[in-house]
Structures are given as C-alpha cells and as structure tokens.
Amino acid sequence: EVGVSTDGVRWTAPTTIDASCGGGIQNDGGIAEIGDAMVIVGGNGTVCRSTDGGVTWTTHALPDGATPSSSDVISTGSELLVWAGGAVLRSSDGATWTSTPTEPRITVGAVARSPSGTFVAVRGGWNTWNEEQRFYRSTDGVRWEELSMEAARRSHPIGWIAWGEIDAALACHE
C-alpha cells in the first residue's frame, strides 16, 4: 500500500492509485524521482507515476512484460534504470521505457551507482550466494565486467548495495 506525506508524520492515501502499484517491491524494483515525477517500479513489473506529489498515480508497464531483478531503481539525474531478465530498462520520464540486453546477459541483483557513473552489482536470483555469488562493474549499465573471485568475500544473499568512499588517510594501517 502507498502512503503520501509532506512531513513524515501525517500520512494519507492517494486519491487514485492502481492496486498493483508497489507489488513485489520488498524484493525487486524501487522508488525514484525523475524531473517532476515520482516513480514506483514494482517487482511485479508495474510502474506507477505521479506528477502531483503522490495524490494521483498513472499506471504503466515495463517493456515486454519484464519484472525487475534489481533491488533498486537507479537515477542518473536524466534517466531511471532498472534491470530485468538480462536487460537494462531505461526511462527519461518514468512512463516510457526502453530495453537493452546486458553484455553478457546477466541477472543484476543489488546495484548502486557512484557519483562518477560507475555501477556495481551483485548477481541476482535465487540461490546465487556463497560460492555462486558474483560481483560486477559497469560504466554504462549494459556492458558488465565480472570481478575476480578474490575481489570480494562470498557470503549470504545481498539485497542492497550503497556507494561509499573512505578517505585513504583514514584507512587502518598495521
């Protein structure tokens, strides 16, 4: 269910919103802004868009019935990106989306983007952790480089990644 608040204390229900909005968002998809639009991309492939602060919403669909594999929607400032079925889906307005196959065709799970535009991601999908876990890097969200097995420690499922940097002067030294 979607709620709208201007202060984070008082919440109201939108005047119009499709019941499918936000479906499956606990695992895949996400919420983002582009221009004057708020966009919810549900894990069910439904895209809901509001240009009036969340009071009314229009419903759209991702191309070809795609359902997101990425656990977030990434905003570059000029477009939104979400990954699904071995493709990156892009939109400059949150209503119209295009699909481009990734190279190689991988299932992108948790993903983040640095301020300079580098994407980092972990392989998405069921049972893709521990020894099956893979990490990737991309400069465009389409062409992905798999990082070496030594680049990261394999572990439990990763559902979310955030970009961050540490000042080298603050690093631990032995």
Side-chain angles (χ1 to χ4, degrees):
E1 195 163 318
V2 175
V4 180
S5 175
T6 57
D7 62 9
V9 176
R10 291 177 296 274
W11 293 83
T12 59
T15 304
T16 60
I17 190 164
D18 189 286
S20 65
C21 286
I25 201 168
Q26 70 274 15
N27 296 316
D28 302 309
I31 301 170
E33 290 181 296
I34 187 80
D36 66 346
M38 294 189 309
V39 179
I40 302 171
V41 179
N44 59 2
T46 300
V47 178
C48 299
R49 181 177 181 267
S50 176
T51 57
D52 61 8
V55 176
T56 60
W57 296 81
T58 56
T59 305
H60 308 273
L62 293 174
D64 306 319
T67 56
S69 61
S70 58
S71 59
D72 206 353
V73 178
I74 301 294
S75 175
T76 67
S78 62
E79 66 181 352
L80 301 177
L81 293 88
V82 66
W83 287 262
V88 60
L89 309 173
R90 291 186 155 115
S91 177
S92 61
D93 61 7
T96 305
W97 295 78
T98 60
S99 177
T100 305
T102 60
E103 299 171 18
R105 284 189 75 102
I106 60 170
T107 300
V108 172
V111 62
R113 181 177 180 268
S114 75
S116 65
T118 298
F119 296 91
V120 291
V122 66
R123 180 178 172 191
W126 181 251
N127 206 20
T128 57
W129 43 89
N130 294 319
E131 294 307 314
E132 299 300 317
Q133 201 169 58
R134 302 291 181 267
F135 294 89
Y136 303 94
R137 175 178 35 225
S138 174
T139 57
D140 62 6
V142 174
R143 289 171 287 282
W144 291 89
E145 168 194 1
E146 184 174 331
L147 302 179
S148 73
M149 293 297 280
E150 293 78 34
R153 184 170 179 247
R154 285 10 183 199
S155 67
H156 299 285
I158 297 173
W160 191 72
I161 295 177
W163 179 263
E165 294 183 34
I166 297 174
D167 185 336
L170 301 176
C172 296
H173 299 283
E174 289 186 34

